[in-house]
Amino acid sequence: MVIVRYGSAMRTRVLVVGTVATFSLASVALLAYLLFVSRRNLVRTGDANLQRWVDPTTAAWLYLGFVAVLAAGFIAFALVGTAHAGRSDVAARPWRRGGGLGGATGAAIGILTIITGPTATAVALLTAPVLLAYLGALLGPPVVGGLAAHATGRAASGALAGLWFGLTMGLVAGFALVTRDVVFADRLVAGAWLTDHFGDATCNNQTGDTLAACEIGDSLGTMASDWLLFPLLGAGLGALGGLVGRAGAGTTVDRPSLRAPVGLGVLLIVVFAAELAFHLW
């Protein structure tokens, strides 16, 4: 029985860590392809300050560096946060439930996002279904947080489960959004994107490659926001669910280590604060 449980935990760890690593690295690779091969004009459109402060090549490398640092942080967190996969099935439930359900939710949002690429004829049809899916997904963290806290007897387990949910969901859904724009750019640039309006005046009334760069740049910004906000938002909502789930819990396991999640949270907050203060992208 112990061997079976250990094998199941390790398989789940491979799945969760594999999801984080795959979509983190795939996002870095996709960004590098866009910046240096396919859409070099990304750093010549939009209203981001970073590309105004330095030359385009330097800006491209800095953007790639930001994403690479975040990706490395996610992978390190995934490895450390699941390091004792087989020690206790109950103690592992926050990351098993949060990471698993978050990845599945991100995949569902991703499929919906991809479908809008070949079907949408207006900007609203591109954004509204995806936005509604994101809003619906916010129910996930308090649910997995409540379940995890009920199993462990600790509200902190709810925050951990919510963080894992937000992390895996944001990685998968964010990658799908940029992938849709890249794959269906030729169709969208001649249809749905023509009706879009930007806060940056240099992107309005554009066509062709310039319009595509503006739209893909916006989606890259959304992907970055997914990475930064959803783990933090998930942790907060998961903590609320954990407070409810802890009530009446009959089991209390060892206090979970908070070093890895706190370290990840600090990284996300610092990067997000820098973006808000300096409008880097």
Side-chain angles (χ1 to χ4, degrees):
M1 177 67 73
V2 173
I3 294 176
V4 172
R5 218 165 22 224
Y6 178 78
S8 174
M10 289 306 296
R11 286 193 296 272
T12 307
R13 186 192 188 207
V14 170
L15 179 61
V16 171
V17 175
T19 297
V20 172
T22 297
F23 283 93
S24 295
L25 296 175
S27 297
V28 173
L30 178 58
L31 179 60
Y33 169 73
L34 290 170
L35 288 173
F36 298 104
V37 179
S38 176
R39 300 286 176 182
R40 296 183 181 182
N41 57 340
L42 279 173
V43 289
R44 294 181 174 86
T45 60
D47 59 352
N49 283 331
L50 181 60
Q51 61 204 43
R52 296 177 176 178
W53 294 340
V54 297
D55 62 90
T57 300
T58 302
W61 282 109
L62 288 174
Y63 283 133
L64 185 62
F66 283 139
V67 173
V69 167
L70 287 175
F74 292 152
I75 295 171
F77 169 74
L79 290 171
V80 173
T82 62
H84 303 295
R87 179 173 294 180
S88 168
D89 178 67
V90 174
R93 288 183 188 180
W95 64 262
R96 294 180 71 179
R97 284 179 170 165
L101 184 58
T105 302
I109 295 175
I111 291 171
L112 175 63
T113 300
I114 295 295
I115 289 174
T116 62
T119 59
T121 55
V123 171
L125 298 177
L126 279 175
T127 59
V130 179
L131 179 59
L132 290 175
Y134 274 127
L135 293 175
L138 294 179
L139 296 174
V143 170
V144 296
L147 292 173
H150 185 75
T152 64
R154 295 190 180 279
S157 295
L160 281 174
L163 186 151
W164 276 103
F165 181 98
L167 173 61
T168 53
M169 187 196 82
L171 282 170
V172 177
F175 178 78
L177 176 63
V178 179
T179 299
R180 178 202 66 187
D181 287 0
V182 173
V183 172
F184 298 105
D186 289 342
R187 177 186 183 276
L188 295 172
V189 82
W193 283 347
L194 290 174
T195 62
D196 201 5
H197 296 281
F198 300 85
D200 174 26
T202 62
C203 281
N204 287 320
N205 302 315
Q206 298 292 337
T207 58
D209 288 342
T210 301
L211 177 59
C214 290
E215 294 286 357
I216 293 173
D218 270 4
S219 292
L220 286 168
T222 300
M223 183 184 79
S225 297
D226 288 354
W227 285 23
L228 296 173
L229 292 180
F230 279 117
L232 298 173
L233 185 59
L237 293 174
L240 293 177
L243 291 174
V244 177
R246 184 183 60 179
T251 304
T252 301
V253 301
D254 293 338
R255 187 181 301 276
S257 173
L258 298 179
R259 290 183 179 178
V262 168
L264 178 64
V266 169
L267 174 63
L268 298 180
I269 291 171
V270 168
V271 176
F272 184 59
E275 159 58 11
L276 289 180
F278 303 108
H279 189 38
L280 298 176
W281 60 76

